[in-house]
């Protein structure tokens, strides 16, 4: 199998001044992609701004013969998000790959969390992913080609204490990508989601230092870079990656039961059959809401 290459491809990576985004930028540039290295450069909880991180990554890419340009706009407003995507078009004439990766944390338990901290996290992760995707999609649809990889989290897919803002945003991104997948299908625009695990400044707040060193962003990057390649033909999927572990996560619906709607359905009937309703054995994935609704309508009694 020949090496995956990205010659002639243009990638925008948000939040690529450090951590995972930097690893994606270095790997993609090393394989021929022209890269827009976006990073606002604020603190881990989203305060301030600094052009240094993005510029440093660009310098590193250029020092090894790669092509990259820095961008310091925030993903979290529609105007600035459009400028991030426009940077790719202005510098390189197109955008083929978007990795929605920028992120912050403002962890607090539900009752202690300020509304502002909830909204800020939603703005950066969920709204930022929406804005950048919307701006990039226009170009991708036009050229009938695009790869969008967005970043979810186990905190959203499975839940985590003290992260209601983050978990909501991250699972929202899965829903967003499920729908972009439907809209992009006939234009060759594929939208997928990664659930990473890596030692970065975000996880340094919760992981012991030896674990931070062990689970390097460089182990996540090969999966994400593969998901950005021409060879990768899937859409609407969630892949996990971290610490040398790679897998697929999915929404699975059990076979359920069909009760006779004409006969009247009571809560007691539900209680009696809850075991069969609950089981995921012989469950399946649905490719869209229509797929799921169509199945129910075809079977209902
Ligand atoms: P990181 O803090 O090293 O990287 C995030 C980058 O996003 C930073 O460089 C930051 O300056 C930038 N950023 C923040 N707000 C921005 C904005 N409004 N506009 C543009 N850039 C902005 O952290 P890490 O871990 O590399 O995070 C990358 C993504 O992966 C995030 O979305 C995070 O939630 C997600 N993630 C990371 C996990 C991990 O184990 N490290 C686990 C699950 C998800």
């Amino acid at each position: 199998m020949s090496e995956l290459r990205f010659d002639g491809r243009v990638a925008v990576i948000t939040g690529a001044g450090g951590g995972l985004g930097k690893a994606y930028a270095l790997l993609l540039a090393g394989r021929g992609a022209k890269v827009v290295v976006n990073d606002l450069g604020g603190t881990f909880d989203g305060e301030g701004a600094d052009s240094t991180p993005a510029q440093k990554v660009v310098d590193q890419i250029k020092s090894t013969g790669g092509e990259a340009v820095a961008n310091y706009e925030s993903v979290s407003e529609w105007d600035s998000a459009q400028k991030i995507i426009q940077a790719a078009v202005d510098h390189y004439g197109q955008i083929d790959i978007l990795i929605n990766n920028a992120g912050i944390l403002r962890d607090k338990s539900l009752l202690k969390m300020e509304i502002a901290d909830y909204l800020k996290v939603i703005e950066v992760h969920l709204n930022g992913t929406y804005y950048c995707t919307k701006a990039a999609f226009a170009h991708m649809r036009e050229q009938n080609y695009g790869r969008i990889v967005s970043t979810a989290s186990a905190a959203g897919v499975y839940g985590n204490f003290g992260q209601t803002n983050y978990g909501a945003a991250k699972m929202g991104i899965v829903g967003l990508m499920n729908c972009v997948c439907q809209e992009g299908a006939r234009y060759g625009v594929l939208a997928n989601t990664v659930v990473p695990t890596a030692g970065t400044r975000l996880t340094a707040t919760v992981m012991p230092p030896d674990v931070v060193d062990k689970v390097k962003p460089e182990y996540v990057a090969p999966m994400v870079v593969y998901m950005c390649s021409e060879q990768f033909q899937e859409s609407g999927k969630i892949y996990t990656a971290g610490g040398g572990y790679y897998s697929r996560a999915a929404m699975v619906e059990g076979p359920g039961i069909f009760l006779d709607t004409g006969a009247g359905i009571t809560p007691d009937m539900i209680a009696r059959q809850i075991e069969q309703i609950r089981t995921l054995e012989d469950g399946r994935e649905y490719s869209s809401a229509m797929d799921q609704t169509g199945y129910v309508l075809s079977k209902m009694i």
Side-chain angles (χ1 to χ4, degrees):
M1 198 179 171
S2 61
E3 183 183 272
L4 292 177
R5 294 288 309 175
F6 294 87
D7 306 291
R9 293 292 179 202
V10 178
V12 170
I13 306 163
T14 69
L20 286 161
K22 178 181 174 183
Y24 305 154
L26 294 178
L27 190 52
L28 274 171
R31 288 184 171 234
K34 299 179 185 103
V35 179
V36 175
V37 176
N38 159 265
D39 206 295
L40 177 64
T43 58
F44 86 96
D45 55 356
E47 297 291 350
D50 180 5
S51 61
T52 320
Q55 192 53 54
K56 271 192 173 167
V57 174
V58 167
D59 293 345
Q60 191 174 340
I61 290 171
K62 286 188 168 167
S63 73
T64 51
E67 265 199 73
V69 66
N71 173 280
Y72 318 113
E73 299 286 344
S74 173
V75 297
S76 67
E77 283 99 37
W78 173 228
D79 283 356
S80 52
Q82 288 179 88
K83 288 182 192 156
I84 299 172
I85 305 304
Q86 195 57 41
V89 178
D90 290 347
H91 285 274
Y92 302 125
Q94 67 202 66
I95 169 170
D96 305 297
I97 295 163
L98 168 64
I99 305 179
N100 288 305
N101 167 79
I104 61 164
L105 283 181
R106 290 193 176 185
D107 296 357
K108 285 257 171 68
S109 59
L110 178 62
L111 295 184
K112 288 188 181 140
M113 186 179 290
E114 300 289 341
I115 298 297
D117 293 334
Y118 172 78
L119 291 175
K120 182 73 183 174
V121 165
I122 296 286
E123 276 163 17
V124 173
H125 289 275
L126 182 56
N127 297 358
T129 297
Y130 173 78
Y131 296 145
C132 291
T133 300
K134 183 177 166 74
F137 193 88
H139 300 282
M140 291 175 171
R141 191 177 70 165
E142 200 65 27
Q143 70 194 11
N144 273 296
Y145 184 87
R147 296 286 182 272
I148 302 170
V149 178
S150 301
T151 313
S153 167
V157 177
Y158 302 115
N160 200 24
F161 189 96
Q163 294 197 309
T164 47
N165 50 2
Y166 184 70
K170 289 308 200 184
M171 207 52 189
I173 288 171
V174 173
L176 171 58
M177 284 303 120
N178 283 342
C179 296
V180 175
C181 156
Q182 305 297 322
E183 296 195 23
R186 69 186 133 130
Y187 303 108
V189 181
L190 311 184
N192 293 283
T193 310
V194 65
V195 172
T197 304
T200 66
R201 72 173 186 169
L202 281 191
T203 43
T205 56
V206 288
M207 282 180 185
D210 59 316
V211 179
V212 169
D213 289 343
K214 238 187 213 164
V215 288
K216 295 187 194 309
E218 287 75 13
Y219 307 143
V220 175
M223 183 79 223
V224 171
V225 164
Y226 169 58
M227 291 166 79
C228 293
S229 70
E230 262 171 67
Q231 285 82 343
F232 185 74
Q233 292 292 327
E234 299 169 52
S235 198
K237 299 288 192 297
I238 305 169
Y239 279 98
T240 76
Y245 169 70
Y246 307 93
S247 66
R248 187 164 78 85
M251 284 292 165
V252 175
E253 194 165 313
I257 60 167
F258 285 88
L259 298 176
D260 184 353
T261 50
I265 300 170
T266 66
D268 318 280
M269 291 160 80
I270 301 292
R272 270 197 300 278
Q273 301 192 67
I274 194 63
E275 293 297 332
Q276 293 145 276
I277 295 171
R278 183 189 299 122
T279 186
L280 292 179
E281 218 177 303
D282 300 323
R284 58 172 284 201
E285 290 175 56
Y286 290 94
S287 61
S288 66
M290 295 306 289
D291 187 19
Q292 193 265 6
T293 309
Y295 171 74
V296 173
L297 292 178
S298 74
K299 294 272 183 185
M300 70 180 281
I301 307 167

